[in-house]
Amino acid sequence: MISYADYERCDALALAGLVASREVEPRELVEMAIARIEEVNPTLNAVVHKLYDRARAEVAGKLPEGPFRGVPFLLKDLLALLEGTCTTNGCRVYLGQIAPRDSEIVRRQRAAGLVIVGKTNTPELGILPVTEPALHGVTRNPWSLEHTPGGSSGGSAAAVAAGIVPMAHGGDGGGSIRIPAACCGLFGLKPTRGRNPLGPFVGEGWHGMVVEHAVTRSVRDSAALLDATHGPDLGAPYVAPPPARPFLEETKRDPGRLRIAFTTASLLGSSVHPDCVAAAQDAAKLCEGLGHQLEEAKPPVDRSVMSRAWLTLVSAETAAEVELLSRSASKKPRASDFEPGTWMLAQAGRAFRADELAMAVHEMRMTGRAVARFFEQFDVLLTPTLAAPPLAIGALQPKPADLAVLLALRALPHATAIRKVLDALADRAFEFAAFTPVANATGQPAMSVPLYWNAAGLPIGAHFVGRYGDEATLLRLAAQLEQARPWATRRPSLALPIRAVSG
């Protein structure tokens, strides 16, 4: 028997250790995760597909002898396919589409011994940095139910913060691991482009901007999971440089004296909230106290070029997604099958010329080269993770006037008007997610570290970007910060004890 207090105090590796020593049975852990979902999910709406019977059947059989044997896990309901189940991508068009096999990253996660108990909420097609899809409804932040847990891995982050599981799958195309990690007081690592597999059902995500991994409570869990999943899969278009040693081993090594560039100036927006400035300054002071060399410096990112290129690429990718659905689905997708903003992105993607798409890719790659030159002088870049604390629920939803225009344009599309409206919506999103998309454009690893809470009790993340292929330095630094400023015991008030579960 395991109590919730015992379950909640353990990270994933600690739970796996209890299973390995036979102090706890995998079925007990699964039953604890299920009980926790039933306890808090009606409030949070983090888990949108429950896979209880499947999980119970798995632990009743023989589990793989991996590093996370018997540990409950949640999959984000986007990209990650689990054989025999539906991945909706937060969009009603995908309802009823059953995966013929696991995607490669899910196969590797299961081979590591993880037991999937459910799937978590995500915005439609993972586009927004908040989790409020029309299909599954709003997910709320365990630290404050009136605020967002971020997105697009918002359901996963809310579930981990609430103590349902110690870590959960996430994906990151513009900050979608790091944004919810910052909003929910968790550690969130976006690996290098090509580090983890995206196949076999996805060739690449958003022209190389998307990578999958997880949100975790501990640094070592993130490192150990990356050890279990990294490496190219068959036909991978990008391959990250091989690590010198296991990532988990890196968390036990001293980072040395790092050269850290530091800025609180917005990279893609116009302003940064004082709480986020304070969080980054606090992180800089902590790093300085640990012996690192800090210098105020900002990477050469052209705000207008970057935001325009990002919108062009994501619009084109959304249009392509709708086209793929048109070819594969029995019924042709209609505008009413999508949220207005998603459909407008697809309309814009159809309106962009081929040369505009090529230019956007070119501009992203040139940004990558310019930022790479910046990192010849520095080991790490430190910024706020976000330009504002967790937003109130509904803050990024189209305003009534925007929605009226979107609905009108859905009926009578006009390319110029569509672009104008989408530019305004994108500007609003980039005001919030002003720092994270740059690492997606360049392919560099980046992480949000939970070192600061504001006066309202909301978590505020510190964002660190490393050189291309250099997760090792980030993980060493993260482990050092975790030891200097432990965050594991900080829990939202929603994480209340529940009864012991015997299974």
Side-chain angles (χ1 to χ4, degrees), residues 272-296:
V272 180
H273 191 282
D275 288 350
C276 299
V277 172
Q281 290 173 338
D282 175 72
K285 186 176 180 181
L286 178 59
C287 288
E288 216 162 29
L290 292 169
H292 302 298
Q293 178 185 336
L294 275 289
E295 179 181 334
E296 287 210 36

Side-chain angles (χ1 to χ4, degrees), residues 331-381:
K331 185 179 73 171
K332 186 178 177 65
R334 300 166 297 175
S336 58
D337 293 324
F338 299 88
E339 295 173 22
T342 304
W343 185 254
M344 284 303 100
L345 269 179
Q347 294 286 88
R350 293 189 189 100
F352 283 123
R353 303 186 309 270
D355 64 307
E356 290 179 294
L357 175 59
M359 182 58 71
V361 174
H362 172 72
E363 287 167 344
M364 286 291 197
R365 300 295 177 256
M366 292 308 294
T367 297
R369 291 188 181 278
V371 174
R373 286 192 294 274
F374 176 82
F375 273 83
E376 288 185 328
Q377 306 169 59
F378 301 102
D379 301 304
V380 172
L381 168 66

Side-chain angles (χ1 to χ4, degrees), residues 1-4 7 15 18-19 22-36 56 59 70-72 499-503:
M1 179 178 292
I2 184 170
S3 69
Y4 175 65
Y7 177 82
L15 290 178
L18 293 176
V19 171
R22 299 189 178 181
E23 296 175 64
V24 172
E25 292 292 328
R27 63 181 173 81
E28 295 178 72
L29 300 184
V30 165
E31 292 301 331
M32 179 56 69
I34 290 171
R36 190 67 185 146
R56 285 167 171 149
V59 294
V71 176
R499 62 179 176 80
V501 176
S502 64

Side-chain angles (χ1 to χ4, degrees), residues 49 77-79 81 85-99 119 122-127 135-136 201-202 317-326 328-329 331 333 337-338 342:
H49 300 300
D77 193 34
L78 180 76
L79 287 180
L81 300 189
T85 69
C86 173
T87 297
T88 70
N89 301 302
C91 181
R92 64 173 58 89
V93 176
Y94 292 90
L95 288 170
Q97 295 191 25
I98 305 302
K119 295 186 178 181
T122 184
E124 188 169 78
L125 302 186
I127 292 166
L135 177 62
H136 296 302
F201 303 105
V202 176
E317 291 281 355
T318 305
E321 185 74 16
V322 173
E323 177 60 25
L324 284 170
L325 282 166
S326 298
S328 61
K331 185 179 73 171
D337 293 324
F338 299 88
T342 304

Side-chain angles (χ1 to χ4, degrees), residues 140 242 308 494:
R140 299 182 180 274
R308 179 67 180 182
L494 189 71

Side-chain angles (χ1 to χ4, degrees), residues 228-253:
T229 58
H230 81 88
D233 55 339
L234 189 64
Y238 306 103
V239 178
R245 58 189 64 84
F247 294 113
L248 183 57
E249 187 179 325
E250 298 291 1
T251 66
K252 304 167 188 176
R253 298 171 72 93

Side-chain angles (χ1 to χ4, degrees), residues 119-302:
K119 295 186 178 181
T120 60
N121 205 9
T122 184
E124 188 169 78
L125 302 186
I127 292 166
L128 292 176
V130 295
T131 303
E132 304 171 19
L135 177 62
H136 296 302
V138 170
T139 295
R140 299 182 180 274
N141 192 324
W143 291 94
S144 169
L145 299 179
E146 301 308 310
H147 290 84
T148 182
S152 62
S153 306
S156 287
V160 174
I164 292 174
V165 289
M167 63 180 185
H169 165 262
D172 194 313
S176 292
I177 286 173
R178 292 158 290 154
I179 292 167
C183 290
C184 293
L186 303 172
F187 180 70
L189 172 70
K190 181 200 86 71
T192 298
R193 176 181 292 146
R195 179 69 71 198
N196 270 336
L198 279 173
F201 303 105
V202 176
E204 63 171 327
W206 287 2
H207 286 266
M209 291 197 291
V210 173
V211 63
E212 294 180 272
H213 186 42
V215 286
T216 65
R217 284 208 300 263
S218 72
V219 174
R220 69 173 192 163
D221 275 355
S222 186
L225 182 61
L226 195 56
D227 281 328
T229 58
H230 81 88
D233 55 339
L234 189 64
Y238 306 103
V239 178
R245 58 189 64 84
F247 294 113
L248 183 57
E249 187 179 325
E250 298 291 1
T251 66
K252 304 167 188 176
R253 298 171 72 93
D254 192 303
R257 188 168 190 255
L258 300 175
R259 298 169 298 168
I260 300 178
F262 165 65
T263 185
T264 59
S266 181
L267 298 183
L268 297 176
S270 60
S271 63
V272 180
H273 191 282
D275 288 350
C276 299
V277 172
Q281 290 173 338
D282 175 72
K285 186 176 180 181
L286 178 59
C287 288
E288 216 162 29
L290 292 169
H292 302 298
Q293 178 185 336
L294 275 289
E295 179 181 334
E296 287 210 36
K298 182 179 176 182
V301 176
D302 187 309

